[in-house]
Amino acid sequence: MVHKMNRWQEIRQVVVVGLGITGLSVVKYIQKYHQDVSVQVIDTRQNPPGVDQLPGHVEIHLGGWRAEWLSQADLIVVNPGISLATPELQEARNHHIAIVGDIELFAWHVHQPVIAITGSNGKSTVTDLTGKMAEAAGLNVGVGGNIGVPALDLIDESIDLYVLELSSFQLETTDHLQVKAAAFLNLSEDHMDRYDSMAAYREAKLRIFNHAESIVVNCDDPATYPDLYSGNQVSFSLKQSADFSVRQIEGTEYLVAKGLPVAETASLHLVGRHNVANVLTVLALLDLADIDYSSHLDALKSYTGLTHRCQLVEMRRDIKWVNDSKATNVASTLAALSGLTLDGKLYLLVGGVGKGADFSPLKPVLSSLNLKLCCFGRDGEQFMPLHDSAQLYEGIEDVLEDIAPGLKSGDIVMLSPACASFDQYKNFMARGDAFARLAKRFA
């Protein structure tokens, strides 16, 4: 650990760009572990979240950039939501000022084993379930990163294992994270407002493998394979032979790990085929981290998933209300629909901020379902050509007010928006919470 701390020897002035929970965690971390380092904060917003929790003696500049602070910094720690292509950051780079993210600071500090997960979809479920299974096996686990608790807030000497969800944005500013096992779940179009191409987006994701002892790739998605890797590589698949896969044994489908049946897929509480793939990834990661999961399958079978991810929030008169607000891109919504069995009609709520995505891949799937397409939000109109039933609304409440009187037994009302939420909500969690409250009112 000493050599990692030595990275701080030449650093006396740090500028944190972007506050929020991540920026705040960086400030707290530096003040706790590097008290001789001075910290300044820049946020281009006038009133960013977390500003009221910032220690009074920390200088902060709001509502724009502060070029002289950046030029005088020994290190700039940038929030993952801010693109490195921003001219002010490019200027700092041209002056050879190091720019990192919070995960890089985490990498400099920790010495315990780390499991890391990335992918366009499913990474939160895989991260959470991996943590739960490791805890069931008796380990003290720190779970966070892009999900829940910022990585720097997890740091504790008593931790046996860290399990981190990492976004492409976080990986862009991470160079030295050494991991016991890393997984790249899948790649689908997302964040095209940030990246020039799918190749650039993929390249950011692949950085998770740079210092990985072992890696997990998706046989069904060749984009998850690294271009160059000489370490231990295992695979998962729902469709073909792989290290971790599914197999029919005497008419029953089983999860299979390295040729051995683990559990019936029907014993899982999770909904949808995408979640079977997620479970296979969890088994692979635990195996690579030398964690014996075979005695703790009850934790696997009883796991019901995360809030806002295909979550059943209300069921009355045999009508299901499903909160899948975490579906902020097309692939997430496609995954939710692929695992669906319908006894009645599906009322699908889509819309929000589309992030430049192409929604046309939804059209063939929607045409095969008995549904009404309910479009809302800033880019709701872009969904209108996808189905004959499509109707445009202002927001979620307007949708539910309109459809509630006509709902019948067997129907499903599902919020799976395929869009970000920040046109009408603070984040996808606030959007999901609003849907859940409204479901209780209209059910």
Side-chain angles (χ1 to χ4, degrees):
M1 189 159 98
V2 174
H3 73 282
K4 293 189 179 188
M5 289 302 192
N6 283 347
R7 295 187 194 277
W8 286 93
Q9 276 187 345
E10 306 300 318
I11 297 171
R12 289 293 169 266
Q13 183 69 41
V14 173
V15 173
V16 177
V17 178
L19 201 50
I21 61 168
T22 302
L24 206 56
S25 75
V26 173
V27 172
K28 287 193 295 184
Y29 167 79
I30 292 171
Q31 294 201 321
K32 181 173 181 179
Y33 293 101
H34 304 283
Q35 294 168 0
D36 56 340
V37 174
S38 176
V39 185
Q40 295 169 313
V41 177
I42 295 173
D43 199 301
T44 57
R45 297 168 291 186
Q46 286 292 353
N47 188 28
V51 70
D52 54 330
Q53 298 168 59
L54 199 65
H57 60 277
V58 174
E59 279 189 287
I60 185 165
H61 179 79
L62 298 173
W65 292 88
R66 191 78 180 264
E68 65 270 28
W69 284 9
L70 294 174
S71 64
Q72 291 163 14
D74 299 314
L75 181 71
I76 296 170
V77 185
V78 64
N79 188 290
I82 299 166
S83 172
L84 294 176
T86 304
E88 290 81 1
L89 295 178
Q90 286 291 312
E91 180 69 15
R93 267 204 162 153
N94 291 340
H95 287 89
H96 307 291
I97 298 167
I99 301 175
V100 302
D102 68 311
I103 303 301
E104 180 69 0
L105 299 187
F106 176 89
W108 293 358
H109 189 108
V110 300
H111 57 92
Q112 300 98 321
V114 177
I115 289 175
I117 298 109
T118 197
S120 299
N121 298 296
K123 55 187 179 290
S124 295
T125 297
V126 172
T127 302
D128 188 56
L129 180 53
T130 300
K132 294 263 192 315
M133 293 289 288
E135 284 173 359
L139 298 180
N140 186 13
V141 188
V143 178
N146 192 48
I147 173 182
V149 182
L152 292 171
D153 286 352
L154 294 172
I155 290 175
D156 192 311
E157 277 302 304
S158 69
I159 296 287
D160 300 312
L161 172 75
Y162 292 101
V163 183
L164 300 182
E165 174 188 318
L166 299 178
S167 70
S168 58
F169 299 168
Q170 288 172 311
L171 288 164
E172 284 177 32
T173 53
T174 303
D175 290 307
H176 296 96
L177 182 65
Q178 297 181 18
V179 299
K180 182 80 174 169
F184 187 171
L185 304 179
N186 45 56
L187 187 75
S188 59
E189 187 181 35
D190 200 5
H191 305 302
M192 289 300 102
D193 51 349
R194 170 94 165 227
Y195 294 104
D196 294 336
S197 64
M198 282 293 288
Y201 176 42
R202 172 178 179 261
E203 207 56 45
K205 293 279 192 194
L206 284 171
R207 290 171 66 87
I208 199 168
F209 293 153
N210 284 356
H211 303 287
E213 201 175 299
S214 298
I215 70 172
V216 182
V217 295
N218 182 352
C219 266
D220 305 329
D221 190 345
T224 64
Y225 283 71
D227 299 323
L228 287 170
Y229 182 73
S230 56
N232 182 34
Q233 179 173 302
V234 303
S235 60
F236 71 91
S237 174
L238 290 176
K239 301 173 183 173
Q240 54 192 299
S241 177
D243 301 297
F244 292 80
S245 61
V246 292
R247 187 196 302 162
Q248 292 283 335
I249 301 173
E250 296 179 358
T252 301
E253 188 182 65
Y254 281 81
L255 303 165
V256 174
K258 297 189 292 190
L260 298 174
V262 174
E264 296 179 18
T265 55
S267 67
L268 301 175
H269 274 74
L270 288 168
V271 174
R273 293 301 286 175
H274 60 298
N275 274 323
V276 177
N278 289 338
V279 168
L280 292 172
T281 311
V282 170
L283 298 180
L285 288 168
L286 293 169
D287 184 70
L288 292 172
D290 304 315
I291 296 167
D292 179 18
Y293 55 77
S294 58
S295 307
H296 310 287
L297 293 177
D298 284 349
L300 176 65
K301 293 173 184 176
S302 62
Y303 183 73
T304 54
L306 287 164
T307 311
H308 311 297
R309 292 158 184 84
C310 286
Q311 176 199 15
L312 185 67
V313 291
E314 196 64 50
M315 184 163 173
R316 278 187 235 169
R317 299 182 291 125
D318 198 31
I319 298 163
K320 293 178 180 176
W321 301 71
V322 179
N323 169 19
D324 192 36
S325 184
K326 182 62 170 67
T328 57
N329 56 43
V330 171
S332 289
T333 299
L334 285 170
L337 297 177
S338 74
L340 214 56
T341 50
L342 277 175
D343 296 323
K345 191 170 191 173
L346 173 65
Y347 292 81
L348 181 64
L349 280 67
V350 292
V353 179
K355 300 179 287 183
D358 172 16
F359 299 117
S360 61
L362 287 167
K363 191 168 185 175
V365 179
L366 297 178
S367 68
S368 68
L369 295 167
N370 175 22
L371 94 158
K372 177 180 173 66
L373 191 63
C374 308
C375 316
F376 70 93
R378 193 183 84 181
D379 293 332
E381 202 163 340
Q382 293 183 31
F383 291 87
M384 292 295 286
L386 301 182
H387 198 269
D388 292 342
S389 71
Q391 188 171 338
L392 191 61
Y393 298 86
E394 180 68 27
I396 291 172
E397 185 168 3
D398 303 299
V399 175
L400 301 188
E401 197 164 8
D402 182 47
I403 66 172
L407 295 175
K408 296 182 177 68
S409 174
D411 289 349
I412 297 177
V413 182
M414 175 185 274
L415 171 69
S416 189
C419 287
S421 58
F422 46 82
D423 57 334
Q424 296 179 329
Y425 298 95
K426 182 180 174 184
N427 49 42
F428 75 83
M429 294 88 81
R431 177 173 63 188
D433 290 341
F435 173 80
R437 284 194 301 273
L438 291 164
K440 289 193 188 316
R441 192 209 303 176
F442 288 109

